[in-house]
Amino acid sequence: MNNGERRALEAVVLVSEGVPPDEALETGSADAWVAFDAAVRELSHHPWRLPHLDEKPGRPWFSAPFGPRPAPPPRPQALALCHPDGRVREAALDGTDAAPELHPLLVVRCADWAEPVRERARLLLGELSASELLPLTELILRLSRRTQGRFARALLERALRKWPAADVMALMAHQDRATYRLAYRSAVDRGLLTPPEKAATAAASGDVTLQDLCAEAAVAALTDPPEKAAAEEAAWNGGDAPAADRADERGAVLDRLLTARAARVRAAGMTALRRTGRHGEARMFLADRSPSYGPARAMCCGRAASNRSPSTGSCAPNRPCIRRRPPDSASAANARRTRERCGS
């Protein structure tokens, strides 16, 4: 038994003694709630750990009899929501939408393997407001990996479009990787980040997914059609900034991408150089040996092949050119012997 399982079992004992579940689970993380749900079922095999919850002598609380639908389960409701018997779990769902401390367990039941429990929980979760879903983001994303976990995630993504910008920005600082990725994706889609902020995030973040998301969004903002770019520039600067200041801001975005530590972000900056017609500035970055630079370098040098001299095969002056290194002789010999052995 690891530390997480031990803490979950201790939390079950505390809840059985009347402690609210959010206080029994000190961290309140998504993994803690999932472990709590599993710990209640684990105790169904060891009912002696909670002897005072026996409903009848010789019949533990965790072993509900088969037969008609049972009466509403006894308190504590948090334990009934995790009961091994699906009929008990379904009966315990009544009133959970009005109890914020039980909302995490309501999310857990939305991914329940029993369809009646799952459908009832989803009906109640859909009645929660967008602000009530905000604290449940990490748990919803954690459970979305399950077979039946997509409903809550779809509900969360719809709510994200309605959340105030301040709530989305606060979620971007969350420690959970899936949570802050979703928040950044929503912020980019809703236009809550300016191009300089996107470029700064791409350059400073160590998350590869976040680097790609923000770098591509910053490059797209630099290469948008004139009408859309003018509207966005007016939004960034309040609509009264001179054109020279807007050009300086675009240059700052490009410089931030090109000087990033991550090669994939620098490659996005080279792509922006080509799309904005600033091919000449790409020459100083062509010596970068990072594999991520390959596609961007090829795009920046795409016209070089058309400028080769037919007689000498050399590139025209003042044109960047990339020469392919001839294959190593030993490698070529090994490849030839391999083909001979295979009979090709």
Side-chain angles (χ1 to χ4, degrees), residues 145-165:
R145 308 170 192 172
R146 296 185 177 180
T147 305
Q148 303 295 339
R150 300 190 186 95
F151 172 84
R153 180 180 181 121
L155 195 66
L156 175 66
E157 290 176 348
R158 288 196 297 269
L160 264 174
R161 304 187 188 104
K162 304 176 183 178
W163 285 355

Side-chain angles (χ1 to χ4, degrees), residues 10-324:
E10 292 173 354
V12 173
V13 174
L14 291 174
V15 171
S16 69
E17 295 173 351
V19 179
D22 52 347
E23 295 181 11
L25 295 170
E26 297 178 358
T27 60
S29 64
D31 289 335
W33 285 106
V34 173
F36 178 85
D37 178 49
V40 176
R41 293 194 300 275
E42 173 67 21
L43 287 175
S44 65
H45 304 293
H46 305 284
W48 50 267
R49 297 189 181 187
L50 300 175
H52 59 286
L53 288 179
D54 289 357
E55 299 174 15
K56 294 181 180 180
R59 174 177 294 169
W61 178 84
F62 283 97
S63 57
F66 291 100
R69 182 184 296 272
R75 300 294 180 180
Q77 190 176 5
L79 297 184
L81 284 167
C82 307
H83 197 281
D85 192 329
R87 296 165 300 173
V88 177
R89 294 197 304 274
E90 183 182 5
L93 285 170
D94 293 336
T96 51
D97 55 332
E101 69 277 5
L102 297 178
H103 286 172
L105 295 177
L106 178 61
V107 174
V108 174
R109 296 281 68 85
C110 285
D112 200 283
W113 58 90
E115 184 177 0
V117 180
R118 186 171 64 244
E119 295 302 324
R120 174 62 176 159
R122 291 177 176 181
L123 198 62
L124 294 172
L125 187 68
E127 297 177 359
L128 300 185
S129 64
S131 60
E132 289 176 315
L133 289 175
L134 178 62
L136 306 173
T137 303
E138 180 186 359
L139 181 59
I140 290 175
L141 296 178
R142 170 69 173 78
L143 294 172
S144 65
R145 308 170 192 172
R146 296 185 177 180
T147 305
Q148 303 295 339
R150 300 190 186 95
F151 172 84
R153 180 180 181 121
L155 195 66
L156 175 66
E157 290 176 348
R158 288 196 297 269
L160 264 174
R161 304 187 188 104
K162 304 176 183 178
W163 285 355
D167 291 343
V168 179
M169 295 294 186
L171 211 60
M172 288 161 52
H174 202 281
Q175 295 182 352
D176 180 62
R177 180 172 58 185
T179 301
Y180 70 69
R181 281 180 178 178
L182 180 65
Y184 268 101
R185 190 173 294 109
S186 175
V188 168
D189 292 341
R190 292 176 55 181
L192 302 180
L193 296 176
T194 64
E197 291 173 338
K198 297 172 186 174
T201 301
S205 176
D207 189 320
V208 174
T209 300
L210 214 57
Q211 290 173 2
D212 289 342
L213 173 68
C214 294
E216 291 173 3
V219 170
L222 293 177
T223 58
D224 276 337
E227 303 81 11
K228 184 177 180 181
E232 288 187 354
E233 286 172 352
W236 304 344
N237 302 283
D240 53 357
D245 291 347
R246 295 197 294 270
D248 292 342
E249 191 174 38
R250 287 176 176 270
V253 170
L254 199 53
D255 293 340
R256 192 70 180 93
L257 294 175
L258 291 170
T259 57
R261 183 175 182 179
R264 59 197 319 113
V265 180
R266 299 196 305 272
M270 282 193 67
T271 302
L273 283 176
R274 174 185 175 274
R275 292 181 181 177
T276 54
R278 297 163 61 175
H279 303 276
E281 300 178 29
R283 184 178 304 174
M284 66 182 71
F285 303 102
L286 296 179
D288 195 311
R289 305 296 296 176
S290 172
S292 300
Y293 251 50
R297 191 160 43 210
M299 285 190 295
C300 288
C301 302
R303 297 180 181 177
S306 61
N307 295 316
R308 292 181 184 275
S309 171
S311 58
T312 63
S314 60
C315 293
N318 301 325
R319 287 283 187 174
C321 179
I322 297 177
R323 297 183 183 275
R324 292 185 177 274

